[in-house]
Amino acid sequence: ERVVAPQCIGVASLPTMDHRLGSTVFARLDKTRFVQSPAAQAVLGRVIEHYGLPVCCLAFSTPTGMSIKGNHGIDAKFVEHPAGGKSILFHGVDRNLPIIIYDALNDARYCHDPLVVGPPHVRLFIGVPIMLSPTVRIGTLCLMDTEPKTFYSLQDCRFAMQATGEILSAWVKQLLSAWVKQVAYQRTWPLHSTRWAPSQPLTVCRS
């Protein structure tokens, strides 16, 4: 028997993924376990080594704030959105371009952010989106420095942008592996399951 997954979740064609399927499944994924996986740790390690910045993490949006995973140089595990605004970790643009803030302390949007006025005292902030589709973001790779910059280009962000693609690929592979194990036991995906509920079931083809 061979297991055939829906075409939309092929790792080689990530831009064509069904974003409704991916967003639903990702919301149920154990992000802590994923970030602690060897694949994710390897990618984050390369990013930290390449940039040499003191702070790095993955940030995931929740209704009330930002969940922080893969912490490097930052102790907080969660930061709330301020009243009437968003955390500096929030990437509010659903397109595959990084957000670069040269000096957060002198930016009216973020000068009172807890990560700016308190540890780790962020000045330079780079937020690179993890894109499930060209317009759907599922998380952000955040790089931060305690010193401001006068300029930081998109070209400087290229390595981090490539890294977010590797992170997404690792997530998809983990997702597929979990599905294959599920099918191996149940042969078909139970549509009434309270676990992940893809928009189309996996199909088991006998050959």
Side-chain angles (χ1 to χ4, degrees):
E1 295 184 344
R2 59 188 177 89
V3 178
V4 179
Q7 186 176 5
C8 65
I9 52 175
V11 175
S13 58
L14 288 176
T16 63
M17 288 181 70
D18 181 338
H19 64 81
R20 292 170 299 177
L21 161 63
S23 297
T24 299
V25 173
F26 187 82
R28 296 178 180 270
L29 179 68
D30 184 339
K31 298 179 183 66
T32 299
R33 183 177 179 183
F34 166 70
V35 172
Q36 292 174 347
S37 68
Q41 286 293 307
V43 176
L44 289 174
R46 289 195 296 272
V47 170
I48 293 167
E49 181 179 6
H50 178 84
Y51 285 99
L53 294 176
V55 185
C56 177
C57 68
L58 294 176
F60 301 99
S61 181
T62 76
T64 58
M66 302 299 295
S67 176
I68 303 172
K69 307 292 183 183
N71 300 53
H72 172 77
I74 180 172
D75 294 329
K77 300 295 184 181
F78 183 86
V79 291
E80 293 185 356
H81 291 309
K86 295 290 186 181
S87 165
I88 193 172
L89 302 180
F90 180 75
H91 192 292
V93 182
D94 286 327
R95 58 180 179 177
N96 195 17
L97 287 174
I99 289 176
I100 304 172
I101 301 170
Y102 300 144
D103 186 356
L105 187 62
N106 287 310
D107 189 311
R109 299 168 298 175
Y110 304 114
C111 60
H112 298 296
D113 189 283
L115 298 181
V116 175
V117 297
H121 301 285
V122 175
R123 297 299 180 263
L124 172 69
F125 176 84
I126 305 156
V128 184
I130 303 172
M131 302 299 293
L132 184 65
S133 78
T135 58
V136 177
R137 168 186 36 80
I138 57 175
T140 308
L141 171 61
C142 303
L143 294 161
M144 293 162 267
D145 198 354
T146 56
E147 298 293 332
K149 298 285 186 182
T150 57
F151 181 74
Y152 208 88
S153 71
L154 290 178
Q155 184 65 30
D156 293 325
C157 299
R158 182 176 295 277
F159 188 89
M161 295 172 71
Q162 293 173 344
T164 59
E166 295 178 35
I167 291 171
L168 182 58
S169 294
W171 162 63
V172 172
K173 290 177 181 178
Q174 181 172 314
L175 169 61
L176 286 173
S177 176
W179 272 348
V180 168
K181 290 178 181 178
Q182 184 80 4
V183 171
Y185 284 104
Q186 300 184 6
R187 302 306 186 195
T188 57
W189 191 277
L191 296 179
H192 60 276
S193 174
T194 57
R195 295 185 178 184
W196 300 340
S199 57
Q200 53 181 304
L202 293 180
T203 302
V204 177
C205 300
R206 300 181 184 275
S207 57

